[in-house]
Amino acid sequence: MERLRSSPLHANISTALDKHLESIHVVQARRKDEIVNASSRQQHGPPRCQDERVVLALAAALRALCLATRKVRTVLWCAFQMTLPK
């Protein structure tokens, strides 16, 4: 979009994209933690209190990803509107 405008876009656009990418990485890390925790639980017996913390951390990461996705969609729509010819 910057190439279409021949000028840089607003700094908030790149910030929102960076936060969205960061949220994706956090969700991936929490999901890996959940998988590791589930596999170790099968080997060591009954579920522990830590299982709930891992699941709650994943839920919080998903919520943050949802919010970041909404913001990035709005920001990209705005950027698209700015690139359209007048």
Side-chain angles (χ1 to χ4, degrees):
M1 283 188 243
E2 289 176 336
R3 287 187 214 143
L4 293 173
R5 288 189 66 207
S6 301
S7 65
L9 294 171
H10 197 273
N12 289 346
I13 294 171
S14 61
T15 302
L17 289 168
D18 291 340
K19 286 184 181 182
H20 186 254
L21 183 61
E22 181 182 334
S23 296
I24 290 171
H25 290 304
V26 170
V27 168
Q28 288 174 337
R30 298 298 176 256
R31 181 68 179 127
K32 286 178 186 177
D33 293 343
E34 183 190 25
I35 290 169
V36 167
N37 193 18
S39 66
S40 68
R41 182 180 45 190
Q42 287 178 344
Q43 295 172 356
H44 293 104
R48 299 185 181 133
C49 184
Q50 187 176 5
D51 294 343
E52 290 180 13
R53 282 186 259 153
V54 171
V55 172
L56 289 176
L58 177 61
L62 284 171
R63 184 174 190 275
L65 178 61
C66 181
L67 294 174
T69 301
R70 283 186 205 160
K71 186 169 185 171
V72 108
R73 285 175 58 199
T74 302
V75 164
L76 287 175
W77 181 83
C78 292
F80 174 67
Q81 293 300 316
M82 290 170 31
T83 59
L84 292 176
K86 295 180 180 179

